[in-house]
Amino acid sequence: MKHNSIKPSEITPEKVFFNRREILKSAVAAGLFPALATQADGAVLPPGGEFANLASWADSLTDTPNSFEEISGYNNYYEFGTRKEDPARNAHTLITDPWSVSVTGEAGRTGTYTLEDILAPHTLQERIYRLRCVEAWSMIVPWVGFPLGDLLTRFEPTSQARYVQFFTLADRDQMPGLRSRVLDWPYREGLTIEEAMHPLALLTVGVYGKVLPNQNGAPLRLIVPWKYGFKSIKSIVRIHFTSQQPRTSWNMSAPHEYGFYSNVNPNVDHPRWSQATERRLGGGLFAPRIPTLMFNGYAEEVAHLYTGLDLVRNY
Ligand SMILES: Nc1nc2c(c(=O)[nH]1)N[C@H]1C(S)=C(S)[C@@H](COP(=O)(O)O)O[C@H]1N2
Ligand SMILES: [Mo]
């Protein structure tokens, strides 16, 4: 079939954009989406891209954050390629508006919600967190977001909801990396319900006071600062409450290397490299390695979640 010289990748984005926007608009108008928010006095994604009046968070790190260029130029987002510079180059094809999130499983208020509805009642904060990638580099990032637990509670999880699973969008028209089988798409992640309800777990919509760049997981991504970076799933389209420990992408791909918990732990090495130290991004290749901290420095806040759990077996 060679009679069409226009590559699908050149024509689909506008079409998909049009269709998704129209479908979502008419579905909202027809009342097909359950309304979740009672009042819309809180968070919105600002059309100009800059958040106004962000609350600062008392427990933010005092370390100097990495630059915006470092944070948005050196990424892992395999849906847009496996090299660190691929997402910044390729993620412009991701359509983040309109956006909706489906909620399924063990909850009283399942359904599909618009991003606006998801955000409306929440107050956004700037929180400066340390992010530690399993590949042993780290950076300091001023995220903009709100506690994940505040959202999950609104869905009224049942007593069977012992875990929460998250899924990233998987659309071949928008995500060139899906042509590779490097992972089994969609990208998915999971937490225990106690982890998900922990006030440090942040649903994130921005960085440096601006709306998230696509390569950082726009429009809505998770940040779990005491776990390796791959738990912080990007561009979330589905939240699933379940009684069973959910499957997670890196565990499915290499179970001996990546467990369900994936807590940052300098005492438990990756089978192919040490996790005892890390290199801070931006310091140059010859920057001294610095010690990795238990739970990425958040032990005081989160260690109690793992009392009695063997952290060597439950890596
Ligand atoms: N959907 C999706 N989410 C993802 C990834 C990915 O490839 N796909 N990579 C993970 C990894 S390995 C890391 S270290 C962080 C990187 O986040 P950043 O690019 O915002 O620094 O995103 C995580 N979330
Ligand atoms: Mo990572």
Side-chain angles (χ1 to χ4, degrees):
M1 290 245 290
K2 271 215 151 163
H3 51 263
N4 191 342
S5 62
I6 304 172
K7 284 190 282 156
S9 59
E10 289 167 355
I11 52 166
T12 39
E14 292 77 12
K15 213 177 75 195
V16 171
F17 178 81
F18 180 76
N19 287 343
R20 287 188 60 204
R21 178 167 274 282
E22 290 311 303
I23 290 165
L24 202 54
K25 262 203 315 210
S26 44
V28 170
L32 294 179
F33 283 66
L36 197 59
T38 44
Q39 83 268 47
D41 59 350
V44 285
L45 293 190
E50 299 249 2
F51 293 98
N53 313 318
L54 284 176
S56 59
W57 187 57
D59 287 344
S60 284
L61 295 182
T62 53
D63 310 41
T64 307
N66 280 89
S67 70
F68 181 80
E69 287 68 31
E70 285 159 356
I71 294 166
S72 61
Y74 187 91
N75 302 97
N76 274 336
Y77 196 167
Y78 276 18
E79 288 86 336
F80 295 99
T82 55
R83 290 168 306 175
K84 304 299 176 214
E85 62 280 9
D86 286 342
R89 194 174 295 153
N90 297 332
H92 59 92
T93 51
L94 177 67
I95 298 156
T96 60
D97 178 21
W99 194 266
S100 58
V101 179
S102 308
V103 177
T104 57
E106 293 291 344
R109 309 194 64 181
T110 53
T112 300
Y113 301 96
T114 63
L115 182 63
E116 290 74 15
D117 202 4
I118 297 248
L119 297 183
H122 298 282
T123 302
L124 298 179
Q125 297 172 328
E126 178 176 82
R127 293 190 178 193
I128 305 176
Y129 279 177
R130 189 182 291 108
L131 183 131
R132 169 60 158 81
C133 180
V134 73
E135 297 161 275
W137 47 266
S138 64
M139 56 184 171
I140 307 290
V141 188
W143 299 114
V144 176
F146 62 96
L148 170 67
D150 292 355
L151 174 67
L152 298 187
T153 307
R154 291 165 64 203
F155 301 127
E156 298 169 9
T158 72
S159 59
Q160 297 301 302
R162 295 182 52 223
Y163 297 89
V164 198
Q165 188 177 28
F166 303 89
F167 296 84
T168 296
L169 177 74
D171 182 340
R172 282 171 151 254
D173 288 334
Q174 300 179 51
M175 300 171 140
L178 263 55
R179 281 177 229 136
S180 151
R181 298 213 195 138
V182 59
L183 288 174
D184 194 1
W185 314 110
Y187 194 100
R188 66 201 77 182
E189 257 308 334
L191 299 170
T192 68
I193 195 81
E194 292 79 15
E195 292 173 330
M197 293 296 174
H198 192 284
L200 281 176
L202 198 69
L203 263 182
T204 304
V205 293
V207 65
Y208 263 111
K210 299 189 208 355
V211 168
L212 277 178
N214 288 354
Q215 58 267 34
N216 292 96
L220 185 71
R221 63 97 53 103
L222 184 63
I223 292 292
V224 192
W226 68 96
K227 293 177 179 282
Y228 291 117
F230 64 86
K231 300 293 286 183
S232 293
I233 183 171
K234 297 180 169 180
S235 309
I236 296 167
V237 293
R238 183 178 163 210
I239 299 175
H240 180 61
F241 294 94
T242 168
S243 60
Q244 309 282 322
Q245 185 174 297
R247 303 194 76 195
T248 60
S249 288
W250 281 102
N251 179 251
M252 288 159 69
S253 140
H256 301 294
E257 301 188 9
Y258 309 106
F260 173 76
Y261 286 94
S262 303
N263 293 314
V264 173
N265 189 338
N267 310 314
V268 177
D269 287 338
H270 185 280
R272 292 184 282 131
W273 58 81
S274 162
Q275 292 292 16
T277 62
E278 64 200 52
R279 189 177 281 125
R280 182 64 45 81
L281 219 73
L285 265 184
F286 303 104
R289 298 183 72 98
I290 52 178
T292 287
L293 303 171
M294 189 65 201
F295 296 114
N296 201 24
Y298 301 93
E300 216 174 290
E301 291 92 337
V302 302
H304 68 92
L305 294 171
Y306 308 102
T307 333
L309 193 74
D310 180 343
L311 295 176
V312 176
R313 293 190 58 202
N314 297 282
Y315 53 94

